[in-house]
Amino acid sequence: MNITLNNREETLDTNKEILSIAELFELKKFSFKNLVVKINGTLVKRDEYQSAYFKNGDKVDVIHMISGG
Amino acid sequence: MNFEEIKSVLKGKTAGIAGCGGLGSNSAVALARTGIGRLIIADFDKVDESNLNRQYFFYSQVGQYKAEALKENISRINPSVKVEAHIIKLQPADIMALYKECDIIIEAFDKAEMKQMIVETVSEKMPGMPIVCGVGMAGWGKNELIKVEKFDDIYVVGDGITEVSDETPVLAPRVCTVANMMANTALELLIGEMK
């Protein structure tokens, strides 16, 4: 599956037609806390990570917030 | 655009600044010097001696509320800026109420969970509102890692990776670099790109 992840073209190693955000994190080995996630510009909250899906060609943003300021 | 033209556009603009620590105090001062019309600033905390390594306060202000001390400092730099100072620990409903008239919001919290909270609130409840965030400015050096990334209306400034820790404290040079890049991003959004 080819998506735009954080403004970069990304090929995901999967045979599935659609993937959830939780599956993306597993595939990419993301284990960060405090993420802001969007699919095609729409916010995906933490309790929607299992139920929010994206497909080939979609734009996914995963912004990792860290402390300091 | 000459400076008079820049000031005449900026005079009609309002920036909301969420947090008056290293990012908030320094970006507010940069926007005040440039001639922003109105700043809505908020912070619940008081100035501590340990803040003076990066925040735009003076030794004599230790113990004062940051929002009030910052308002005072801005008035000494540019008294024509209207500053609304709120002593408050911002929650989603406050952000929507206090910053609804803003042209832009600057996220200037220190804690990751607060950064996430405001970016999610603005993205979900205030569609079209640009928000500039600071993510990753602890430590020193590594200028080449500091950048601006755009995600729709979210502008993320910083190196994205260096979290504050015992071995990577937050210090004036890098924090002020990011704070001023945030103000510079805000300026570009408020007055348009430099030709």
Side-chain angles (χ1 to χ4, degrees):
Chain A
M1 184 191 294
N2 296 309
I3 61 166
T4 304
L5 179 62
N6 289 356
N7 298 321
R8 282 175 278 278
E9 299 305 315
E10 176 97 23
T11 301
L12 299 174
D13 188 15
T14 178
N15 296 319
K16 293 183 178 173
E17 296 266 307
I18 57 168
L19 276 184
S20 71
I21 292 297
E23 288 170 321
L24 171 71
F25 289 177
E26 208 171 302
L27 206 59
K28 294 290 294 174
K29 300 188 166 42
F30 284 171
S31 59
F32 306 126
K33 294 196 302 177
N34 303 118
L35 298 171
V36 174
V37 180
K38 294 175 114 184
I39 298 175
N40 296 326
T42 302
L43 183 71
V44 179
K45 288 190 169 175
R46 181 177 289 268
D47 59 2
E48 300 162 338
Y49 289 175
Q50 306 280 346
S51 59
Y53 288 90
F54 60 88
K55 60 183 188 311
N56 193 60
D58 281 349
K59 179 183 185 305
V60 181
D61 297 320
V62 180
I63 311 170
H64 176 206
M65 295 298 177
I66 60 176
S67 289
Chain B
M1 264 178 134
N2 64 37
F3 188 36
E4 291 309 313
E5 290 166 336
I6 289 168
K7 282 192 288 186
S8 81
V9 176
L10 272 189
K11 203 176 165 203
K13 304 290 186 185
T14 300
I17 302 204
C20 301
L23 297 176
S25 63
N26 288 294
S27 57
V29 164
L31 290 173
R33 288 191 195 277
T34 319
I36 189 104
R38 184 161 69 130
L39 290 171
I40 302 175
I41 63 176
D43 199 300
F44 69 93
D45 210 0
K46 290 178 177 171
V47 179
D48 185 84
E49 199 176 327
S50 66
N51 301 146
L52 299 177
N53 69 353
R54 66 191 189 284
Q55 303 185 14
Y56 209 108
F57 300 111
F58 298 94
Y59 193 85
S60 62
Q61 293 177 314
V62 169
Q64 285 184 35
Y65 282 107
K66 290 183 183 182
E68 288 177 346
L70 181 58
K71 180 177 178 170
E72 177 189 319
N73 294 343
I74 290 168
S75 76
R76 291 175 63 187
I77 292 166
N78 184 351
S80 67
V81 182
K82 291 191 194 78
V83 182
E84 280 177 33
H86 298 271
I87 299 164
I88 185 172
K89 185 158 190 176
L90 290 166
Q91 299 298 328
D94 310 311
I95 291 164
M96 289 157 63
L98 290 187
Y99 296 137
K100 64 176 186 292
E101 289 171 16
C102 291
D103 297 290
I104 193 163
I105 295 175
I106 292 189
E107 174 286 310
F109 293 131
D110 54 354
K111 299 272 188 300
E113 52 269 28
M114 291 292 283
K115 290 177 186 282
Q116 180 185 1
M117 181 276 289
I118 190 169
V119 174
E120 288 192 341
T121 301
V122 172
S123 294
E124 189 182 31
K125 310 281 192 193
M126 305 172 84
M129 175 72 78
I131 179 164
V132 184
C133 329
V135 179
M137 78 301 294
W140 62 94
K142 305 274 187 222
N143 286 321
E144 70 280 9
L145 298 184
I146 299 173
K147 59 189 186 300
V148 184
E149 270 197 281
K150 181 181 188 302
F151 304 90
D152 305 311
D153 293 320
I154 307 169
Y155 296 79
V156 179
V157 185
D159 71 13
I161 50 172
T162 313
E163 189 152 30
V164 59
S165 73
D166 285 346
E167 295 301 313
T168 52
V170 270
L171 299 169
R174 224 161 177 258
V175 171
C176 298
T177 298
V178 170
N180 282 289
M181 280 178 70
M182 291 168 74
N184 200 28
T185 300
L187 191 59
E188 190 171 49
L189 291 167
L190 292 170
I191 68 174
E193 277 187 42
M194 181 168 66
K195 296 282 188 319

